[in-house]
Amino acid sequence: MKNMMLLLSFIALSSPAFADDNLDAQIAVIQHEWAKATYQTPKDAQEDAFKLLIEKAHQVTTANDNAPEAMIWEAISNSGYAKAKGGIGALKFAEKARDLLVESQKVSPNALQGSAYTSLGSLYYKVPGWPVGFGDKKKARMYLEKALQVNPSGIDPNYFYADFLSGQGEYAKAVEYYKKALAAPARLGREDADAGRKKEVEEGLKVAEKKAN
C-alpha cells in the first residue's frame, strides 16, 4: 500500500497539471524580473539586467521543452535587451526575439492571450526597415490588429497599437486606444508591470491628444 501511495504521488507530480503550474511559477519570476528591469532599473544598468534575464528565460524555455509561453517570455527578454543595448549590435537580439515568437505561434498561436502577436507587432514597427533591419509597418499593423482580436481589452495590445498609430501620425485614433489601455482590467500578479505600463500609456496619451488637437 505504501509503495502504491508513493507511485500515485509520483504520477500526480508528473502530471500535465503539475507541469503547467510549475511553468506558470517560473514564468511569473521572469515577468517580475522583466518589470523590475524595465521600470525600476536605472537606464545605465538595464543592459546588464536584461542580459541576465535572457539567460534565465532561456533556461525556462529549455527546461520546459520549448513551451510556447516560455518562448514568448524569452523573446520579450531579448526584445528588452535589444532596446537597452541599442545600435546595430541590438539587431541580432531583436531577430532572436522575432524567431522565438514565430516558433511559439507554430505550437500555440494564441498563447498568453495572443502575446506573440503584440510582441511581433511592436518589433516590426520599432526595428529599422530594410536594408538595416526587418522592420515593416504593414506587418506591424497586421500583428497588432490580430493581437486586439484575441485580447481586445488588454492593456498591452491597446497600448502598443496606440503607440504605433501615434508614430504613424494617426493621433485621433491613437487617443482612442490609449484610453482603452487605461481602462484595461488589472492583471492578477502583474501589478508591477501594470503600474509601469500605465505611466507609459498616460505619457503617450498626452502627446497624442496634443497633436490630435
Side-chain angles (χ1 to χ4, degrees), residues 52-117:
L52 288 173
L53 186 57
I54 286 174
E55 295 172 1
K56 291 181 180 180
H58 182 65
Q59 289 173 2
V60 173
T61 300
T62 55
N64 290 277
D65 299 322
N66 293 332
E69 298 85 356
M71 284 194 285
I72 288 170
W73 272 99
E74 185 180 348
I76 292 171
S77 301
N78 273 273
S79 181
Y81 182 69
K83 181 180 178 182
K85 186 175 181 63
I88 297 298
L91 186 58
K92 68 177 182 179
F93 296 96
E95 291 173 342
K96 177 65 173 178
R98 176 200 61 193
D99 294 345
L100 282 163
L101 293 166
V102 170
E103 284 301 309
S104 78
Q105 288 188 315
K106 292 178 181 178
V107 181
S108 179
N110 296 341
L112 298 177
Q113 294 186 293
S115 291
Y117 294 120

Side-chain angles (χ1 to χ4, degrees), residues 160-212:
F160 282 109
Y161 190 48
D163 191 51
F164 168 76
L165 292 170
S166 189
Q168 302 308 298
E170 299 175 47
Y171 300 114
K173 193 172 181 181
V175 168
E176 175 188 349
Y177 284 92
Y178 277 127
K179 289 181 176 179
K180 287 183 178 181
L182 282 179
R187 295 177 291 184
L188 184 64
R190 301 293 311 284
E191 292 81 7
D192 47 1
D194 281 353
R197 183 70 80 208
K198 282 187 176 180
K199 289 181 181 179
E200 293 177 321
V201 174
E202 289 166 354
E203 291 168 2
L205 178 59
K206 287 180 183 178
V207 172
E209 284 181 328
K210 184 177 181 180
K211 294 192 175 182

Side-chain angles (χ1 to χ4, degrees), residues 132-173:
V132 177
F134 61 85
D136 186 317
K137 298 298 190 294
K138 289 183 179 179
K139 285 186 177 180
R141 189 184 294 270
M142 176 193 72
Y143 279 119
L144 291 169
E145 290 178 351
K146 180 64 176 177
L148 283 166
Q149 291 174 17
V150 177
N151 185 17
S153 62
I155 188 170
D156 284 346
N158 279 289
Y159 165 71
F160 282 109
Y161 190 48
D163 191 51
F164 168 76
L165 292 170
S166 189
Q168 302 308 298
E170 299 175 47
Y171 300 114
K173 193 172 181 181

